[in-house]
């Protein structure tokens, strides 16, 4: 009997935490105009892990003394100097190919297709399952949120 009550309480706690996590919006940022080095600890003296290209989107998990712990599209965590991140948003194509359309509608004219791992500038906050994006060549349109990471 006691085990059943504890299991129910544990299940309720997990459900509440899961609900709270989804209610809190992710803090996405992008690398600024210069590449950013990722470290394994919040220090420039820490071991260097990777270099992220300009405008690459990341999710900021925590900020500590000038460094941000970030998560990338693959789910990896690392530290980056906070000054190298910008509020200018970008998204990453996570589908094999994302169709970018003239309007937020599947029947709208196809403007271009972006391949997996292409970075697109986010022009407007996403709404109704679509995000307005711009390619580095200047073409813009609407892509489905399910095909993007960083929103």
């Amino acid at each position: 009997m006691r085990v059943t009550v504890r299991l129910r309480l544990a299940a309720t706690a997990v459900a509440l935490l899961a609900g709270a996590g989804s209610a809190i919006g992710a803090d996405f940022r992008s690398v600024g105009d210069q590449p950013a080095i990722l470290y394994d600890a919040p220090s420039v003296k820490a071991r260097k892990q990777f270099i992220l290209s300009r405008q690459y989107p990341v999710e900021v998990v925590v900020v500590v003394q000038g460094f941000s712990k970030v998560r990338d599209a693959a789910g990896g965590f690392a530290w980056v100097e906070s000054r190298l991140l910008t509020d200018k948003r970008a998204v990453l194509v996570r589908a094999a190919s994302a169709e970018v359309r003239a309007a937020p509608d599947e029947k709208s004219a196809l403007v271009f297709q972006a391949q997996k791992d292409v970075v697109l500038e986010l022009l407007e906050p996403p709404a109704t399952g679509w995000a307005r994006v711009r390619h580095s060549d200047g073409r813009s349109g609407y892509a489905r949120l399910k095909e993007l990471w960083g929103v």
Side-chain angles (χ1 to χ4, degrees):
M1 182 79 165
R2 286 184 181 173
V3 173
T4 304
V5 171
R6 286 183 183 168
L7 287 175
R8 285 185 189 160
L9 287 174
T12 302
V14 168
L16 288 172
L17 287 173
S22 62
I24 298 170
D27 183 15
F28 287 102
R29 304 280 172 88
S30 299
V31 174
D33 291 329
Q34 62 182 348
I37 298 172
L38 295 180
Y39 299 93
D40 68 348
S43 169
V44 293
K45 294 180 181 179
R47 187 170 51 97
K48 296 174 183 174
Q49 295 183 315
F50 301 101
I51 297 178
L52 290 181
S53 62
R54 300 177 320 105
Q55 301 171 346
Y56 189 91
V58 293
E59 179 184 5
V60 175
V61 178
V62 68
V63 179
V64 176
Q65 298 177 351
F67 278 82
S68 296
K69 186 172 190 175
V70 297
R71 182 173 68 96
D72 64 16
F77 291 92
W79 292 89
V80 63
E81 290 180 84
S82 297
R83 67 179 180 81
L84 298 176
L85 300 179
T86 180
D87 289 333
K88 187 175 179 181
R89 296 280 305 278
V91 294
L92 188 73
V93 175
R94 70 177 183 182
S97 177
E99 294 182 343
V100 179
R101 302 205 169 263
D105 183 341
E106 288 185 32
K107 295 178 184 175
S108 180
L110 180 66
V111 178
F112 67 94
Q113 289 185 325
Q115 300 306 309
K116 183 175 179 68
D117 295 330
V118 168
V119 174
L120 302 169
E121 181 183 355
L122 182 64
L123 297 176
E124 296 174 2
T128 63
W130 294 84
R132 187 163 175 246
V133 296
R134 178 173 34 224
H135 191 277
S136 61
D137 67 7
R139 293 179 292 169
S140 64
Y142 294 85
R144 289 191 136 307
L145 292 179
K146 68 181 181 181
E147 298 175 337
L148 307 173
W149 185 86
V151 287

